[in-house]
Amino acid sequence: MKRNFGPTYVAPQALWLTVFFAAPLLIIVAYSFLQKGLYGGVEVVFSTQAWVDIANPTLLKVTVKTLWVSLAATLIIILLALPCGYSIARSKNQALRLFLVIVPFWTNFLVRIYAWISILGNEGFVNQALRFLGFRAEGFQFLYNQGAVIFVLVYMYLPYAILPLFSTIDKFDFTLLEAARDLGSTKMQSYIKIMLPNIKGGVITAVLFTFIPIFGAYAVPLLIGGKDSYMLGNVIADQLTKTRNWPLASAISMSMTLLTAIAVFLFAFKKPKEQQIVKDIDPLSLPNGKTTGFLHRAPGQGKKKPSAKGAA
Amino acid sequence: MKGSDVTVSNVSKFFGSFAALKDVSLEIKKGEFYSLLGPSGCGKTTLLRAIAGFEDPDSGLILIDGTDVSGLSPDKRHCNTVFQSYALFPHLTVFENVAFPLRIKKTPVRLIKDLVMKHLSLVQLESHADKKPSQLSGGQKQRVAIARALINEPSVLLLDEPLSALDAKLRQHMLMELDSIHDKVGITFIYVTHDQQEALSVSDRIAVMNAGLVLQVGTPQQIYENPATEFVARFIGETNIFKGKVLSREGTLNVIGIDGYGTLLVDDETPVEVGDTIVATIRPEKIRISNDQPVGDELNVVKGIVEEPIYSGFQTKYVVRVEGGERLTIFRQHANWSEGIPDIEWKDDVCLSFSARDLVIVEKSPG
Ligand SMILES: Nc1ncnc2c1ncn2[C@@H]1O[C@H](COP(=O)(O)OP(=O)(O)OP(=O)(O)O)[C@@H](O)[C@H]1O
Ligand SMILES: [Mg+2]
């Protein structure tokens, strides 16, 4: 008889997750149900005040803004990362190009944000260059607005999307694109109808790798954005350090975690409805008029559930 | 007749400095089953891709029905390809794979089902319509690829070694099916293969290629019986090659001095001069083998010793070392029991006899 070593193998990982993931999360949950201390911290008295305070219109506005900034940045990142990943996968010197994608990581996150400040600032390189070329002397205000925040977020998180997209596109069989072209589709149609459904797993991973950290962004909106670019991460920080309302900060964090979890679940794990139809009913035996639903289903919806790796 | 004629005219294609196609010219007729036959790396796929529109020739023209197609992208050409690797779309069912070209064309939905099912029944896959490609066997995938390539009703079907991934039995079967599909749809088939058996058994005409060149174009019989070069003779089936000098000639009858054999008589139309160096060939089944007396009254008789008898059911292949040291290959069909042909065994002394007409001059150079 073989002994089952499963639990032994899992133990280190289980310990790791408990100590560094579950425990902090539980502490945050606990804090959100306590009373706020006078100078920060908490008093160990049960209270639901934080969960009452959380329902205020300002916070809702910031939440909505955080959502749309994250979605916009993620969308731009995916749209940029797809052609990048594709060109790296098809290039002859993949190693060099991948290396170039990773190089920025050698520099500290904050340093890179400050680099953008010195590039785009009122006295930055770009403005100096424009002034030199004879544009207006007072310069342009590139920073401290929503656009600048999205721009720098895109810059920061682009590699996190390029890498997973590259690795799935690299495994993609490019003769499928030729087959699609041969069968009458345009270049664009072959990418959208054939390549995209087959690299769906990579796209989902890329979205998760970028959306989740951007949703919790703190430093970029703080340093690059103006007062109106505040995101939830900044609100939480303010609650911790300025307003000193730790329970509220915890409640907001918890809500964000829940929101992200729900979004991830909806996005990555929900089966498309149509797939059920394909599975349960033989599409060809449907009466003629009713085949439309099946026949018009977009490519890829019949695909298996993508890997859940991105959710980590 | 349905289908298009395809003209390839002086097409060359370079990859860097490597010439994959060298001045290739072909005339493919409407409705023909035309094979491109050649060893691996000889440029067959490259030529097919040039016709399909995936490669731009560096020089030369490709005409489909007399129209220059250079500059037309693959989706604009009226030909479809069956890819070597099938290239089925893994995320779509069999039905949707075959329906793909129709959806791209925005064919009305109510027509799609009938068209797809019609083409699936052409390849006998109606009952597999809602499977995914990953659930199919190799032969079934192949059929889906064929149905998908035919659904747009192309006038030319390009097939790139469509059977190479199948086992021998299935390959034979699919080959016959391909032939019957060709008969049914009646369009031009351009069929790439490196398997001479396949090419011989189904093609109307064959172009034999090597190293980017077309060496010979002809019917299977022409290619087999009258190979244009030594390479063609060796590549198509087994053969025996003789190299020698023309000693004298009388009409079409040449007396050839072969190093090692003495002389052989060759009856061939090829105009040669006394003193020319020539290469002649004879197919193994055209040589008759007997124990002591030569059979019949053939002009060429050679003696030798059996080195290897290789029995394969319907025939035995003998490798015979003849006087002078050369080895010849002979096929002897097994006729019925009553013929009483004596058994020929290993190490037996044998007599080989063959007609002067069956020796074919494939190459000559002035001596
Ligand atoms: N994209 C390419 N870049 C460089 N060389 C190429 C390319 N495509 C083909 N070749 C070269 O051109 C030659 C002909 O290739 P091709 O694929 O046409 O051969 P083939 O006759 O189809 O061989 P096979 O029977 O193995 O499929 C080969 O030597 C190959 O290495
Ligand atoms: Mg090939």
Side-chain angles (χ1 to χ4, degrees), chain B residues 35 41 53 81 124 142 189 206 220 227 239 258 276 283 307 332:
Chain B
S35 295
T81 308
Q124 297 156 26
Q142 189 55 66
F189 274 36
I206 300 172
T239 202
I258 309 286
D276 282 359
R283 296 289 177 190
E307 280 204 338
R332 191 180 66 167

Side-chain angles (χ1 to χ4, degrees), chain B residues 104-340:
Chain B
I104 293 289
K105 274 200 305 194
K106 304 232 179 338
T107 305
V109 171
R110 69 202 144 73
L111 300 180
I112 289 182
K113 197 183 130 189
D114 283 348
L115 269 172
V116 171
M117 291 319 280
K118 198 182 104 194
H119 281 84
L120 283 179
S121 75
L122 181 70
V123 294
Q124 297 156 26
L125 279 179
E126 305 98 310
S127 54
H128 300 274
D130 48 351
K131 283 192 182 164
K132 284 285 176 60
S134 58
Q135 297 168 294
L136 299 178
S137 72
Q140 289 168 336
K141 283 182 194 163
Q142 189 55 66
R143 290 170 211 222
V144 178
I146 293 168
R148 189 181 66 174
L150 286 173
I151 199 153
N152 258 345
E153 299 184 343
S155 55
V156 181
L157 187 68
L158 307 171
L159 302 108
D160 191 357
E161 309 206 16
L163 309 181
S164 61
L166 309 180
D167 65 65
K169 256 249 152 72
L170 190 56
R171 197 149 61 205
Q172 272 307 311
H173 178 72
M174 282 299 297
L175 195 61
M176 293 305 118
E177 273 192 21
L178 261 184
D179 199 24
S180 82
I181 289 172
H182 175 249
D183 291 344
K184 273 186 218 154
V185 296
I187 60 170
T188 312
F189 274 36
I190 304 180
Y191 183 88
V192 163
T193 180
H194 61 254
D195 184 320
Q196 38 102 10
Q197 269 323 325
E198 268 176 40
L200 289 175
S201 49
V202 287
S203 316
D204 293 319
R205 282 194 303 156
I206 300 172
V208 183
M209 296 179 65
N210 188 34
L213 290 167
V214 172
L215 302 179
Q216 186 176 9
V217 176
T219 62
Q221 288 83 354
Q222 287 167 348
I223 299 268
Y224 187 79
E225 302 290 351
N226 268 308
T229 69
E230 183 183 341
F231 177 86
V232 177
R234 283 186 191 277
F235 190 70
I236 312 290
E238 285 195 62
T239 202
N240 297 296
I241 300 281
F242 301 99
K243 295 187 181 175
K245 254 188 164 49
V246 180
L247 298 181
S248 66
R249 57 195 315 259
E250 213 174 286
T252 55
L253 196 62
N254 306 290
V255 180
I256 314 282
I258 309 286
D259 323 326
Y261 288 90
T263 58
L264 288 178
L265 291 170
V266 179
D267 192 355
D268 191 295
E269 315 258 297
T270 316
V272 290
E273 301 290 328
V274 173
D276 282 359
T277 309
I278 59 118
V279 178
T281 175
I282 185 165
R283 296 289 177 190
E285 69 277 10
K286 301 206 163 88
I287 301 177
R288 299 171 77 181
I289 185 167
S290 53
N291 270 56
D292 33 23
Q293 290 296 317
V295 200
D297 49 0
E298 307 295 4
L299 291 176
N300 294 305
V301 176
V302 186
K303 287 191 187 311
I305 297 172
V306 175
E307 280 204 338
E308 280 179 85
I310 299 161
Y311 177 78
S312 58
F314 67 104
Q315 69 172 21
T316 302
K317 168 179 170 178
Y318 297 97
V319 179
V320 176
R321 187 172 296 280
V322 298
E323 292 162 353
E326 288 278 340
R327 278 149 61 103
L328 293 187
T329 305
I330 296 100
F331 294 154
R332 191 180 66 167
Q333 290 283 318
H334 298 156
N336 67 35
W337 61 275
S338 65
E339 275 186 25

